[in-house]
Amino acid sequence: MTDRTSAQHHQPSLAALAAELPGLRPHLESVAAVHATAAASLNAEGGDPTVHGDNRLLARHLGHYLAAVEIAHAHDGGNGVEAVLDVGSGTGAFSAWMAAKLDAALSLADHDPDVLAAAQLATGAVAVHRDVAKAPASPLVTAMEVLEHIRPQDQPGFCRAVVGAVAPGGLLVLSTPDESLYPGGWSGYAPHVGCVTAEQLESLLREAGAQDVRVWRLLGGPYDTAPTRRVMEAVGNRAWTLLGRVAPAAPAALERRRGGGSMPTLEAEGLQDVRVVPAQDGAGGSLVAVVRVPA
């Protein structure tokens, strides 16, 4: 892949990333307003920015979408992208922010019909899809933090679907965390049932028919987790899952007591520079795969 469409174009500092956070607030508020009248629309798989107040997670997820915006601009020479399909969009706050930055028509795809309906209402998406394979081809397809939620036996089919959803001459930008540095190669977060390494990610995409694939790694700032924190997260997440099995009502009750569901503060204190390196030059952080489909 040429440098023109590489993730090296995504080299923001967290100061620059923080400057984008205020622009996300209208989309957060729009999604939150829908939630107030449709409680069933909450995304229980961790991708809903309105149900956690962790600014590190917010910045990390926004960084993936910012990468897609910058890579798309580099690919099209600033001429603009007519449409974007965000696969696994959840409630769509990040999707709507990305579409606004690209001045592109937004389509969404998600497996949860309640979440998808709420996302369309909150974002004004022109179309929504339960089945990616049936969605019209799009010049830009994104799938952010989705692959790790898919069982390994289902990942080849998912990758074929997202690669096939890209229009000729278009791009696929896909992100997923690299949890290989955690004990046992897994953070213990229960919805992450299909974590992959950089090599596995590239292999999945090539086996899905992608020929022009580059995998990059985002490190620094919210993408870094100290060794002690990785151990604590792995133990805590496993304990949380066990608690939910033993006492199903307990996790929700504890979440309410600790103030879960508060809107993020959108502050940038303590955030450091983000680095983008070829995937083989590091470990941990987030993986960003860029696939270019021939015209």
Side-chain angles (χ1 to χ4, degrees):
M1 177 171 291
T2 66
D3 287 341
R4 190 167 59 91
T5 56
S6 78
Q8 292 287 14
H9 282 281
H10 179 58
Q11 281 282 17
S13 69
L14 261 291
L17 180 58
E20 301 289 348
L21 292 179
L24 182 62
R25 178 166 288 281
H27 305 292
L28 292 174
E29 292 175 344
S30 179
V31 169
V34 171
H35 285 178
T37 59
S41 68
L42 295 177
N43 183 352
E45 295 176 288
D48 188 344
T50 65
V51 296
H52 64 68
D54 187 333
N55 219 55
R56 292 177 73 256
L57 286 177
L58 185 70
R60 187 169 70 198
H61 289 316
L62 183 61
H64 301 144
Y65 283 88
L66 179 59
V69 169
E70 294 178 344
I71 292 166
H73 280 157
H75 177 63
D76 64 24
N79 295 323
V81 177
E82 293 182 358
V84 56
L85 170 65
D86 191 27
V87 180
S89 61
T91 50
F94 295 109
S95 318
W97 176 90
M98 173 179 61
K101 295 288 286 187
L102 292 168
D103 193 23
L106 174 64
S107 295
L108 305 175
D110 199 278
H111 72 99
D112 188 319
D114 291 330
V115 169
L116 196 56
Q120 186 173 30
L121 182 61
T123 65
V126 297
V128 295
H129 307 276
R130 291 283 308 281
D131 186 350
V132 178
K134 295 181 180 180
S138 178
L140 175 62
V141 176
T142 56
M144 305 304 195
E145 307 299 280
V146 180
L147 190 66
E148 69 274 13
H149 294 268
I150 299 173
R151 299 179 304 170
Q153 60 267 39
D154 297 326
Q155 288 176 343
F158 173 79
C159 289
R160 285 194 296 271
V162 292
V163 170
V166 183
L171 289 174
L172 166 67
V173 182
L174 182 154
S175 73
T176 190
D178 176 6
E179 297 191 351
S180 60
L181 295 179
Y182 282 86
W186 178 46
S187 67
Y189 182 52
H192 287 187
V193 297
C195 293
V196 298
T197 64
E199 293 77 12
Q200 290 169 330
L201 176 58
E202 181 172 352
S203 178
L204 278 167
L205 291 170
R206 291 194 181 280
E207 290 172 2
Q211 299 178 359
D212 196 344
V213 183
R214 293 291 294 273
V215 181
W216 302 86
R217 190 180 303 275
L218 274 61
L219 299 170
Y223 298 99
D224 285 353
T225 305
T228 53
R229 179 166 179 162
R230 286 197 295 268
V231 172
M232 292 175 63
E233 285 184 2
V235 172
N237 285 335
R238 287 166 170 82
W240 189 260
T241 300
L242 180 60
L243 176 64
R245 291 173 180 170
V246 174
L254 290 172
E255 188 72 17
R256 287 193 296 271
R257 288 188 62 182
R258 75 182 183 91
S262 60
M263 284 284 288
T265 60
L266 303 183
E267 296 173 353
E269 294 182 10
L271 299 183
Q272 301 171 355
D273 285 350
V274 172
R275 307 185 307 280
V276 181
V277 300
Q280 66 269 22
D281 291 349
S286 279
L287 301 173
V288 176
V290 182
V291 173
R292 186 172 61 178
V293 173

